[in-house]
Amino acid sequence: MSFVIAIDGPAASGKGTLARRLAAHYGLPHLDTGLLYRATACALLDEGLPLDDVEAAVAAARSLSLVDFDEGRLRAREMGEAASVVAAIPAVRAALIDMQRSFAARTEGAVLDGRDIGTVICPEAKLKIFVTAAPETRATRRALELARAGEDADYAAILEDVRKRDARDSDRSAAPLKPAADAVTLDTTDLDIEGAFAAALTMAQQKIGGK
Ligand code: DC
């Protein structure tokens, strides 16, 4: 059976960095599923359509192509917020399932990160990690990231953003953010990237007996 790693967690928890590190370590392809929701929201905004236009959002989700994402633009703060809105639409989530599952079905395996990978997309994943960190820590990390990229980094606004997204992603009825019953939780509040990666590798070894 192929080696699928599912990484879930709230905004700015460090799950993306961890997923990329694990993918590189095990030589597996990586899919940041947040980009799918961001690209869907971006398509609506580009057409001047409201984010609650279900028909247009589903059409945009169905026509996504993994290869032509403008990551720089999709990773902007407002796009995360807009993505969280379209991600609460059940029909949009349904439209994106096949693309994620076929990515996970590659023979060698894959690493996917998002909110519902362990619960909905890949319930059979060999390793499921639920990455968390205190909201204040996540806001500080995001502010540093933005400042480094030369962008506006107002800590208070970012913290509010983090809390708002946590609430929207956790309280929605369609595939809410929550750990799978068989997920291991990794709290990165007091860990740097190396510490989080080392902890994740230990978890991987315990689950799969090393590789
Ligand atoms: O991981 P991210 O910040 O790029 O995700 C942006 C938004 O997309 C997030 O607030 C909720 C949504 N999302 C989701 O609902 N399910 C996923 N698997 C990934 C992201």
Side-chain angles (χ1 to χ4, degrees):
M1 199 180 134
S2 69
F3 183 38
V4 174
I5 303 180
I7 316 259
D8 290 300
S13 56
K15 64 184 186 311
T17 309
L18 194 63
R20 275 190 298 277
R21 288 288 299 267
L22 285 170
H25 180 83
Y26 287 109
L28 294 171
H30 165 231
L31 179 63
D32 170 354
T33 64
L35 286 178
L36 306 177
Y37 295 92
R38 286 170 184 260
T40 302
C42 187
L44 293 177
L45 296 175
D46 281 351
E47 288 178 50
L49 295 168
L51 294 170
D52 61 357
D53 183 332
V54 175
E55 213 174 301
V58 169
R62 286 218 181 98
S63 60
L64 289 186
S65 156
L66 291 181
V67 287
D68 51 34
F69 283 159
D70 175 358
E71 281 203 36
R73 187 156 174 240
L74 294 181
R75 291 198 190 283
R77 219 180 99 199
E78 322 73 70
M79 220 53 94
E81 182 60 26
S84 162
V85 175
V86 297
I89 304 173
V92 168
R93 307 199 69 83
L96 293 172
I97 286 181
D98 285 352
M99 187 185 274
Q100 297 172 81
R101 290 206 177 131
S102 41
F103 191 93
R106 294 168 180 220
T107 18
E108 71 270 38
V111 181
L112 286 84
D113 74 271
R115 303 288 187 290
D116 62 341
I117 308 303
T119 50
V120 175
I121 304 297
C122 303
E124 310 293 329
K126 271 202 183 140
L127 173 64
K128 299 178 184 177
I129 304 179
F130 192 81
V131 187
T132 60
E136 294 78 8
T137 308
R138 289 187 275 132
T140 303
R141 286 179 190 157
R142 194 38 64 86
L144 277 173
E145 231 172 73
L146 289 173
R148 258 189 236 120
E151 280 184 55
D152 182 30
D154 173 20
Y155 174 79
I158 294 170
L159 179 59
E160 196 191 314
D161 231 55
V162 160
R163 291 193 197 281
K164 210 157 69 180
R165 271 224 271 156
D166 280 1
R168 198 186 287 118
D169 294 346
S170 306
D171 297 345
R172 69 183 180 216
S173 51
L177 169 68
K178 63 167 188 210
D182 54 348
V184 273
T185 296
L186 175 55
D187 187 335
T188 67
T189 305
D190 298 317
L191 295 175
D192 60 8
I193 292 168
E194 291 309 322
F197 178 57
L201 277 185
T202 306
M203 289 170 175
Q205 275 150 13
Q206 280 163 357
K207 279 272 166 184
I208 59 166
K211 192 184 161 186

